[in-house]
Amino acid sequence: MKFKSILIISNFIENKIPERYLSKFEEFLLSGSIFTNPSEFLAGLVIFLIVTEIILVIIFFTLNLPSSILFAPFLVFPALYTYVSIKQEQNKTKIENSAPDFLRQLSSMLKVGLSFENAMEDMSKYGEGPLYDEMRRTILEIRMGRNFDDAWKAMSKRLKSRELERIFIIILDGRKSGSSMADVIMNVSNDLRDLLAIKRERKSTVMMSVMFLIISAVIATPFALGMVSVYSQFMESFGQVSDLVLTAPVAGQFYLIIHSILIGLIISVIMYGSFKKGIKFSVPIVVVSYGIFYLISNFGVSMFTGGF
């Protein structure tokens, strides 16, 4: 049962936002295993923001909390992005791990005389996991009239794996050229297994460096800069006000945000050799580190003076 308010806002969103943007947002949600109508999901977000803002405004005037608490509900957007990014990475890992066995099975079915399309359909009926879900979606698109090559290429892109995309394109090219598909698929399966083993080995060797960077970004740096803000508040309470005391907390906030973004980019380079995925790390690091900084700088004085 859907609330009437959600339906009203959902219809308004569908009328105001172009369909291509809603389709992209739906693809974004699906990549994070969120199977919800995009307009209804956005309507739920709008209602959540309105309700939480009303509650926070009441709490703000009642308890005299800092006004910055009113921005807390908007953290749902980086939280959503982080959640979808994590789910994408998990699905990608599951797909890559199951792909070699999937390709071996596909090769075996081709060797017994099944056509490529029939082999895909038979495997999709009994397999479980993100890869088989994508296969079922591809088969459904082909049945609805989409060209096989286009549906296959679209599936390879949805997998969000550069290695699998290359391999699936090799399979498609082999099918077009009339090569022995069973042999081609078996060879790329073996190559993929070796490639994934190398990736796992490289990932394990860099995890120590990555953990050090994360700890420095979300614990050490925000705590140190938060203490600078606490010190500035102490100085102000004793009347020792200067330009340095006033600007230090503000400068610390800008430094913290820039530092967190750079840490995310560095982690992306270490793990993937590219800056492109840096935003996936930068967003949660910025949110967590700034949250710790906010707690220390705003409640640090009461924490440290509470025992006196």
Side-chain angles (χ1 to χ4, degrees), residues 210 213-214 262-272 281 285:
V210 171
L213 290 171
I214 292 176
L262 292 177
I263 289 293
L265 296 176
I266 293 171
I267 292 175
S268 178
V269 172
I270 292 175
M271 296 187 65
Y272 303 105
F281 299 102
I285 289 175

Side-chain angles (χ1 to χ4, degrees), residues 78 82 210 213-219 222 256-268 278-292:
T82 302
V210 171
L213 290 171
I214 292 176
I215 291 173
S216 69
V218 302
I219 297 179
L256 181 64
I257 294 173
I258 295 172
H259 177 265
S260 300
I261 293 173
L262 292 177
I263 289 293
L265 296 176
I266 293 171
I267 292 175
S268 178
I279 187 67
K280 180 175 68 175
F281 299 102
S282 297
V283 170
I285 289 175
V286 168
V287 172
V288 174
S289 60
Y290 192 84
I292 294 175

Side-chain angles (χ1 to χ4, degrees), residues 148-166:
F148 179 89
D149 294 354
D150 294 338
W152 185 265
K153 289 179 181 178
M155 181 185 69
S156 68
K157 291 181 179 179
R158 288 197 303 267
L159 297 178
K160 305 295 182 181
S161 172
R162 186 168 50 187
E163 291 78 13
L164 288 181
E165 184 175 355
R166 290 172 179 170

Side-chain angles (χ1 to χ4, degrees), residues 37-267:
N37 184 287
S39 59
E40 293 180 0
F41 187 87
L42 290 173
L45 278 181
V46 171
I47 293 174
F48 168 79
L49 291 174
I50 293 174
V51 172
T52 51
E53 281 295 329
I54 293 174
I55 295 174
L56 287 176
V57 167
I58 296 173
I59 295 175
F60 168 73
F61 286 108
T62 304
L63 302 179
N64 195 26
L65 294 176
S67 59
S68 54
I69 196 175
L70 299 177
F71 292 97
F74 294 95
L75 293 177
V76 68
F77 294 107
L80 173 64
Y81 177 82
T82 302
Y83 172 79
V84 172
S85 297
I86 292 173
K87 290 293 294 184
Q88 285 179 349
E89 195 66 30
Q90 291 176 347
N91 290 338
K92 175 186 170 183
T93 301
K94 291 179 181 178
I95 289 171
E96 289 181 343
N97 291 336
S98 62
D101 293 333
F102 167 83
L103 294 174
R104 279 179 171 271
Q105 187 178 355
L106 180 60
S107 174
S108 299
M109 298 184 74
L110 292 176
K111 285 181 180 179
V112 300
L114 289 177
S115 66
F116 197 84
E117 292 85 348
N118 290 336
M120 285 175 52
E121 186 172 355
D122 287 347
M123 291 179 62
S124 67
K125 291 179 180 178
Y126 308 105
E128 295 292 337
L131 180 58
Y132 293 93
D133 292 339
E134 289 294 340
M135 188 64 64
R136 283 188 279 270
R137 177 178 174 179
T138 302
I139 293 171
L140 182 62
E141 290 177 351
I142 294 172
R143 286 178 178 175
M144 294 177 65
R146 189 172 188 180
N147 180 269
F148 179 89
D149 294 354
D150 294 338
W152 185 265
K153 289 179 181 178
M155 181 185 69
S156 68
K157 291 181 179 179
R158 288 197 303 267
L159 297 178
K160 305 295 182 181
S161 172
R162 186 168 50 187
E163 291 78 13
L164 288 181
E165 184 175 355
R166 290 172 179 170
I167 285 175
F168 276 47
I169 294 301
I170 290 173
I171 294 174
L172 183 61
D173 292 340
R175 182 174 181 271
K176 289 179 180 179
S177 64
S179 304
S180 174
M181 291 304 300
D183 294 335
V184 171
I185 293 175
M186 182 62 71
N187 290 333
V188 296
S189 173
N190 294 332
D191 292 341
L192 178 61
R193 193 180 298 274
D194 295 338
L195 180 60
L196 294 178
I198 294 172
K199 282 185 63 178
R200 286 193 293 268
E201 183 179 351
R202 186 185 70 176
K203 189 175 182 178
S204 64
T205 57
V206 302
M207 283 308 296
M208 186 63 71
S209 301
V210 171
M211 291 302 297
F212 174 78
L213 290 171
I214 292 176
I215 291 173
S216 69
V218 302
I219 297 179
T221 303
F223 184 83
L225 294 175
M227 291 305 298
V228 171
S229 181
V230 170
Y231 176 75
S232 299
Q233 294 177 40
F234 271 122
M235 296 298 291
E236 289 184 43
S237 65
F238 287 113
Q240 302 295 325
V241 180
S242 65
D243 292 338
L244 180 60
V245 171
L246 294 175
T247 58
V250 179
Q253 294 182 53
F254 283 107
Y255 173 82
L256 181 64
I257 294 173
I258 295 172
H259 177 265
S260 300
I261 293 173
L262 292 177
I263 289 293
L265 296 176
I266 293 171
I267 292 175

